[in-house]
Amino acid sequence: MKKFYTILFMFYSIFTFANTLTVKNGDSIYSILNEKLTPKEILILNKNLKKADPEFVLKKGVTYTFQSNKMIIHDGFTKDIILDLNSLQVKIIKYPVKKIDTVISGEINYSLFEAIKSMGESEELAVRLAEIFEWEIDFFKDIRPGDQFSIVVEKLFCKDKFIGYGKILGADFVNQGRLIRALYFEGNKIRGYFTPEGKSLKKGFLKAPLKFGRITSTFKIKRLHPVLKTYRPHYGVDYAAPIGTPVHATADGIVVKKGYSKANGYYVKLKHNNGYYTYYLHFSRFKKGLKIGHYVKQGDIIGYVGMTGYATGPHVDYRITKNGKFINPLRFKSPTKTLPKNLVSDFRKNTEYVEALLNSSYYKYAKLQLLQ
């Protein structure tokens, strides 16, 4: 009898898996059902499907099952779409998603990716954690063995299966003995990660490298060059000002280039954390004592407006790149550096729970707190 049930189970398994298929390139509702329904019936069914779910698209990789004259499309983990091949009606079943706030703590031996993967978590979590702290830590240079992290993250479950991560509600990172805390907050058009004091984790850029001036040329893919008289890209913004006007670093960084070229005149290039660079062209002169390798802070004077190189008037050409790609400085959104006073109370109330979770995640927390 036991052998009989074993064979029966094997046949049941084969039958079940044989009827669970995967959408391939070129598949459509018509190509899948053309042997089961007439073209008119498929048209009616497809119309009912669009009514039930106007945004539905049959995507490659989605699985579907045939059961008792029904086609069940498993649209991700959270939704099943049931096509009745007899009545040509469509039914949608949505499964609830549960959020569980989870604390994940670890220590780095080699890299953040290795540490998080070794805990059975996804690399996605490492990327998102690095993005939160990217203005405080250079994850290519600053990480040391023994650095620690603790993350409060929403884990999402559907039908008792883990389906991904929600928001990272807060995180601690101990880098070379320095504790940095990030708390997530949304309110009054502000959203992001802040220190417990309400300061943005992202160090903002100044909107312009000059205190005063006017824009004479914007970021354009195709612009008639005023000197060369040919069309070419202009990857910066020109700020006109009198010769000798101070030019300021728009963010903390390191001087990686300082020199002269035929086109750029006297220019400075600054390196910022995690792939950002800023450029300042056409100086009349540099700030006295400025050298390659020097660290400058946001707002420091690095040079003075001129019209050296290819320039028809005194100005500074300001440019930004991220991972080698030029960004339009006028569209580059610099985050708010400090929460407005009217939001501080809400911020503290909303993050109190997350702070309590982070505080309980370190048995050495009292000691680490002294390192701030």
Side-chain angles (χ1 to χ4, degrees), residues 99-142:
K99 294 180 183 178
I100 299 177
D101 297 340
T102 309
V103 180
I104 300 168
S105 298
E107 185 170 314
I108 295 174
N109 293 317
Y110 301 103
S111 70
L112 178 62
F113 281 89
E114 175 271 335
I116 285 183
K117 281 185 68 177
S118 69
M119 300 168 68
E121 303 294 341
S122 167
E123 288 185 356
E124 174 200 345
L125 194 59
V127 171
R128 290 175 58 186
L129 185 65
E131 287 174 346
I132 291 171
F133 292 103
E134 69 174 339
W135 283 110
E136 290 288 341
I137 302 167
D138 188 329
F139 283 86
F140 293 98
K141 292 184 177 180
D142 296 342

Side-chain angles (χ1 to χ4, degrees), residues 210-277:
L210 303 179
K211 297 290 185 183
F212 302 99
R214 61 189 177 87
I215 296 174
T216 55
S217 186
T218 58
F219 184 100
K220 292 179 181 178
I221 301 301
K222 190 177 182 181
R223 182 193 74 155
L224 180 63
H225 195 283
V227 176
L228 301 176
K229 303 301 181 184
T230 58
Y231 284 94
R232 56 179 57 196
H234 184 246
Y235 291 126
V237 174
D238 290 345
Y239 293 90
I243 290 177
T245 302
V247 179
H248 303 267
T250 55
D252 295 358
I254 296 171
V255 179
V256 290
K257 281 191 178 181
K258 172 201 167 193
Y260 181 90
S261 74
K262 186 176 180 180
N264 297 333
Y266 293 108
Y267 72 98
V268 168
K269 178 180 177 181
L270 301 182
K271 178 182 183 296
H272 311 283
N273 276 350
N274 302 292
Y276 285 98
Y277 288 84

Side-chain angles (χ1 to χ4, degrees), residues 270-289:
L270 301 182
K271 178 182 183 296
H272 311 283
N273 276 350
N274 302 292
Y276 285 98
Y277 288 84
T278 53
Y279 304 73
Y280 312 79
L281 316 181
H282 309 302
F283 284 175
S284 58
R285 59 190 173 92
F286 304 110
K287 181 187 176 182
K288 189 176 180 180

Side-chain angles (χ1 to χ4, degrees), residues 127-137 139 178 180-185 190-196 198-206 250-252 272-274 276 298 322 327 332-339:
V127 171
R128 290 175 58 186
L129 185 65
E131 287 174 346
I132 291 171
F133 292 103
E134 69 174 339
W135 283 110
E136 290 288 341
I137 302 167
F139 283 86
R178 182 172 66 116
I180 311 162
R181 171 162 289 183
L183 301 170
Y184 183 76
F185 177 70
I190 289 177
R191 179 174 62 186
Y193 292 91
F194 300 84
T195 68
K199 294 182 179 179
S200 173
L201 260 290
K202 288 189 176 180
K203 293 188 183 298
F205 280 74
L206 298 175
T250 55
D252 295 358
H272 311 283
N273 276 350
N274 302 292
Y276 285 98
Q298 183 185 67
K322 165 73 171 176
I327 298 171
F332 178 61
K333 294 183 179 180
S334 181
T336 304
K337 296 187 73 174
T338 305
L339 282 173

Side-chain angles (χ1 to χ4, degrees), residues 28-48 85 88:
S28 64
I29 297 294
Y30 181 84
S31 66
I32 291 170
L33 295 176
N34 66 351
E35 294 183 359
K36 298 178 182 290
L37 299 174
T38 66
K40 184 179 179 180
E41 289 172 328
I42 295 174
L43 185 64
I44 294 170
L45 186 62
N46 202 45
K47 191 177 290 186
N48 290 336
L85 305 186
L88 305 181

